[in-house]
Every structure is written in structure tokens, then in C-alpha cells.
Amino acid sequence: DMDASSSGYEFSRESRPVDRAVSDYLAAPDDHLLITWRNGVRMAANMKIRAALGHDGPLPDSGEPVLIRKNGQGFLNGEIATCGGFEAGPIIGEVRCLWMLLNDQRVLVSYEGRDCAFDGQFPKIQNWRGYHIDLKKKMLSDPLPVTWGYCLTAHAAQGSEAKRVTVFLERGDERSSHFRKATRLPSGEETTFAARWIYTATTRSKSWTTMLVGQ
């Protein structure tokens, strides 16, 4: 068992990496970040954590962490804020919005998502021009897409740090051609996306990193 002062790295092959990551988080949620690669896996982990903590409503409850997915209204893309509740919001063009209290600030958010509610993606819009005209007419800021903040993708986690980070991949993820494709570092060196991804994910940790890979 690790104490608060311990630092290090653990690697483990798991038959159910999502379940192991979620139970690790629930056992020690303070300053603990979960990071995975695929958005669907991230959403599944967030839903499991919410259910275990008794959050069963479709909206985040007060006190839940929320991840901001766009710069604006005083927030940065990748920032994690604490939900303080909701008020009814406007419809802008065809986008339904809510006012959300985040860190005691009233923020306009879009919650419908692209694949499901609160997936952190901006909803599909048929008429962008109409949307922008309506936004201007109502004198509102661009609504921010938001998602659950327990588990992040490495891309979204680039600006975050936590004492403890648990990185997990589903079985087969590390063999995927997308994960193994070649990429170029800012220095010009060639490496794989996987190496870059693992470096980004594991360096979010200030003291303890657990890497779980599905088998």
C-alpha cells in the first residue's frame, strides 16, 4: 500500500482495465486523475465513477468535477472546474444551453454533445450562420462544451497535473494502427504516437503513476 509520500510507477496487465482504474480512483480520489486514449472508454469510466458515488442524474451534481473543452468566459480548454449547480439557459440557433455555476462563476455551457450529453463535443449544427446571428443578437458568449472531469483523454489532460495518475488502455488499444502511427516531435525527431501519448499521460503525475494495459 502506498502512503502519501511515496512516489513511483506501477505497470500492470489487467483483464478489465476500466474496472481496475475506477476502483483505484474510488479508493483514493484526492488529487487523482484517470487518463485513457479513446473517448468512449473515457465516458464509460466517468459513468462508472458517477454511479459508484451515487450521482445518477443526467446533469453533474454540485461538487462534481467538470472538464472545460474550449477557451472562453475566463476558462481554458482542459481546465477542471467544480460544478455548483444549474439554471435554465437560452437556445442559441438550434443549440440548447444551460447556465452552470463553475468555481462560483456563471458560465454558459452547451451540454447536448455530439454522441451523447456532456461528451465534451459541440453539438452538430446545420445552420452555423443562423447560430452566429442568434449569438450576436442575444449578446451572449460562445457556450463552452463541457464533460465529466474524473477521467480525461491525454489530449485534454495536457494542462493538468495531479499527485496520482492512473493511465489505462483497453485490450488491443496499444496495437491499433492509429496508436502506433509515426509522428514527428517539435524537435524534428520521428517517434510513434504511442510513445508521445504515453509520455504526455504519465508526466501529468507529480508522484505516483499506475499504467494499466488490457490483456
Side-chain angles (χ1 to χ4, degrees):
D1 213 40
M2 61 187 112
D3 61 69
S5 64
S6 66
S7 68
Y9 179 82
E10 178 201 357
F11 177 87
S12 175
R13 287 260 177 201
E14 297 285 327
S15 56
R16 300 171 74 163
V18 178
D19 290 348
R20 162 76 201 272
V22 166
S23 67
D24 278 11
Y25 176 86
L26 292 168
D30 280 357
D31 207 5
H32 189 171
L33 208 49
L34 297 190
I35 298 177
T36 193
W37 177 43
R38 281 185 292 129
N39 211 29
V41 177
R42 176 187 72 80
M43 285 298 280
N46 277 312
M47 291 306 118
K48 280 175 186 273
I49 290 170
R50 294 196 75 232
L53 294 174
H55 301 299
D56 51 7
L59 301 180
D61 290 321
S62 281
E64 282 200 86
V66 175
L67 174 72
I68 313 290
R69 291 303 286 124
K70 183 180 176 176
N71 294 343
Q73 300 181 63
F75 287 90
L76 295 172
N77 186 0
E79 196 171 332
I80 295 175
T82 303
C83 173
F86 289 93
E87 292 167 26
I91 296 175
I92 304 169
E94 55 211 87
V95 180
R96 290 191 298 182
C97 301
L98 287 167
W99 289 105
M100 191 179 191
L101 281 169
L102 288 174
N103 301 355
D104 299 325
Q105 187 182 323
R106 202 162 163 266
V107 178
L108 190 63
V109 302
S110 67
Y111 63 94
E112 288 185 311
R114 187 155 285 201
D115 303 319
C116 59
F118 284 102
D119 66 3
Q121 302 181 81
F122 205 69
K124 287 189 177 81
I125 294 183
Q126 303 303 318
N127 178 359
W128 275 101
R129 190 165 169 269
Y131 166 80
H132 284 296
I133 288 169
D134 204 21
L135 192 68
K136 220 177 206 150
K137 195 170 76 192
K138 292 182 168 134
M139 294 193 291
L140 291 167
S141 302
D142 237 344
L144 303 181
V146 289
T147 188
W148 315 101
Y150 301 103
C151 177
L152 283 57
T153 59
H155 179 71
Q158 283 176 15
S160 300
E161 267 194 335
K163 192 171 222 166
R164 185 170 171 188
V165 170
T166 300
V167 182
F168 63 104
L169 291 169
E170 277 281 37
R171 188 168 77 110
D173 276 357
E174 81 282 11
R175 291 191 299 277
S176 141
S177 57
H178 288 294
F179 202 62
R180 289 174 162 255
K181 70 179 182 220
T183 180
R184 201 174 282 282
L185 293 172
S187 63
E189 274 180 274
E190 280 227 340
T191 183
T192 60
F193 171 79
R196 226 178 147 161
W197 187 90
I198 288 165
Y199 176 79
T200 301
T202 54
T203 52
R204 301 307 91 208
S205 163
K206 289 185 278 199
S207 64
W208 188 274
T209 307
T210 306
M211 179 90 198
L212 310 171
V213 178
Q215 60 181 15

